[in-house]
């Protein structure tokens, strides 16, 4: 797990999960998001504000992500856009309540998911990845890049 952009999503024993502008161990800023990602966000979301955070998550063959809502951002009107790279994954999308029915999609390398109102707060997760289903990464596995606008201001 790592980040690009002005703000990163971090966690440690002391502080739990939170957004912060520096790496909790090195205290350094996160590297900039490549211009290409800014352009992709602009083109696909048409949102008025630029993304501030890009979370980089790596999934090995056994990794999964439980059903969750993304609700830690100040700006809950802003879309969240993610890019999948490497092995395929089974993405589960539900509704605004945890008990709502869910459906699943296979996300392949290069696929993009955008959660925006009215599904901005929909429950979602990764059931499993499909090991060996892409040749993009020599080490196998899957990267997910999740881009977000955190603050409401400029
Ligand atoms: C993943 N994605 O694809 C996990 N969240 O590995 C997310 O949790 C997610 O793809 C918000 C918006 C899009 C996403
Ligand atoms: Fe999410």
């Amino acid at each position: 797990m790592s980040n690009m952009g002005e703000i990163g999503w971090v966690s440690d024993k002391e502080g739990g999960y939170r957004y912060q502008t520096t790496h909790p161990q090195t205290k350094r800023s996160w590297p900039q998001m490549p211009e290409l990602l800014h352009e992709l966000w602009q083109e696909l979301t048409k949102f008025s504000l630029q993304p501030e955070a890009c979370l980089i998550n790596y999934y090995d063959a056994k990794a999964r992500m439980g059903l969750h809502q993304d609700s830690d951002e100040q700006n809950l009107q802003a879309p969240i856009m993610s890019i999948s790279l490497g092995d395929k994954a089974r993405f589960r999308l539900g509704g605004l309540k945890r008990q709502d029915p869910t459906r699943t999609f296979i996300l392949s390398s290069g696929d993009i998911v955008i959660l925006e109102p009215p599904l901005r707060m929909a429950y979602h997760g990764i059931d499993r990845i499909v090991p060996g289903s892409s040749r993009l990464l020599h080490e196998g596995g899957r990267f997910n890049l999740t881009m977000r606008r955190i603050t409401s201001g400029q």
Side-chain angles (χ1 to χ4, degrees):
M1 171 178 171
S2 190
N3 294 276
M4 301 181 276
E6 284 148 63
I7 310 177
W9 178 242
V10 303
S11 152
D12 54 24
K13 269 189 223 146
E14 294 76 35
Y17 279 100
R18 63 198 183 272
Y19 279 111
Q20 72 179 40
T21 57
T22 54
H23 188 290
Q25 282 161 350
T26 65
K27 316 288 184 213
R28 291 169 56 188
S29 312
W30 305 102
Q32 279 188 356
M33 244 184 269
E35 190 53 34
L36 201 62
L37 289 185
H38 279 280
E39 288 169 13
L40 202 57
W41 164 278
Q42 199 46 55
E43 195 178 319
L44 297 182
T45 69
K46 312 274 191 232
F47 193 65
S48 56
L49 303 173
Q50 283 298 314
E52 294 167 310
C54 181
L55 171 65
I56 305 168
N57 265 332
Y58 177 72
Y59 293 74
D60 65 17
K62 290 188 195 127
R64 50 186 294 284
M65 185 178 284
L67 210 61
H68 67 278
Q69 271 177 321
D70 289 64
S71 56
D72 291 293
E73 298 72 32
Q74 233 178 64
N75 191 337
L76 295 177
Q77 297 310 310
I80 302 181
M81 181 176 122
S82 84
I83 307 171
S84 295
L85 295 170
D87 283 341
K88 293 179 199 291
R90 191 163 74 205
F91 184 86
R92 185 170 291 277
L93 180 64
L96 300 180
K97 296 189 299 253
R98 188 174 278 281
Q99 313 85 303
D100 286 344
T102 61
R103 13 175 202 161
T104 60
F105 308 85
I106 294 292
L107 296 182
S108 299
S109 192
D111 282 351
I112 290 181
V113 173
I114 299 175
L115 289 187
E116 60 189 359
L119 281 184
R120 170 64 179 74
M121 299 298 285
Y123 278 89
H124 59 281
I126 296 289
D127 289 355
R128 63 184 212 89
I129 77 161
V130 185
S133 55
S134 162
R135 295 174 53 195
L136 184 72
L137 306 171
H138 290 298
E139 70 272 37
R142 169 176 184 265
F143 278 102
N144 185 254
L145 309 181
T146 312
M147 301 169 64
R148 296 185 165 84
R149 178 74 195 190
I150 312 297
T151 67
S152 300
Q154 301 303 313

